[in-house]
Amino acid sequence: QVQLVESGGGLVQAGGSLKLSCAASGSGFGIRAMGWYRQAPGKQRELVATITSGGLTNYADSVRGRFTISRDNAKNTVYLQMNSLKPDDTAVYSCNVKTTGWGDYWGQGTQVTVSS
């Protein structure tokens, strides 16, 4: 079993920055990929960014160039640096981890609110 603990959400003005963190813990697991997804009120959950164990990244078009995903393999932690935030970025952001044993785990979610 893998537990995920997220931190870093909050309220920020448009144009500001936030950094999200997600730490995975447990025993006997390896990580294939880590990522961030978000869900705004009344909308479906959407991919924000993912990163593989080898460092390959993928971004949603709406955040490319503004957000940066990174990971610390030694700490089993993934980060999402969010710059130039817009009100449309307001959502609950959730961390996702895919393990080498084909497990698929989600964090509890953290609220990001961008005011205009």
Side-chain angles (χ1 to χ4, degrees):
Q1 194 73 7
V2 175
Q3 293 79 43
L4 303 179
V5 177
E6 301 160 344
S7 61
L11 172 65
V12 65
Q13 289 188 331
S17 299
L18 283 174
K19 186 174 184 177
L20 306 182
S21 300
C22 173
S25 63
S27 62
F29 70 96
I31 295 176
R32 290 188 294 117
M34 306 180 82
W36 291 94
Y37 293 72
R38 68 186 182 186
Q39 186 169 19
K43 296 186 177 180
Q44 290 188 330
R45 184 166 61 192
E46 63 177 0
L47 178 148
V48 177
T50 61
I51 184 167
T52 69
S53 58
L56 294 177
T57 58
N58 181 45
Y59 294 94
D61 289 343
S62 59
V63 307
R64 188 174 290 112
R66 299 187 297 122
F67 292 9
T68 302
I69 190 169
S70 61
R71 61 186 287 177
D72 184 332
N73 289 335
K75 296 181 179 180
N76 286 335
T77 299
V78 63
Y79 306 96
L80 186 68
Q81 177 67 48
M82 304 184 292
N83 299 329
S84 302
L85 282 160
K86 305 174 182 180
D88 283 349
D89 295 317
T90 295
V92 174
Y93 285 69
S94 297
C95 172
N96 175 259
V97 168
K98 292 179 171 50
T99 69
T100 54
W102 303 103
D104 193 354
Y105 299 92
W106 292 90
Q108 79 280 5
T110 185
Q111 178 70 45
V112 171
T113 303
V114 184
S115 63
S116 57

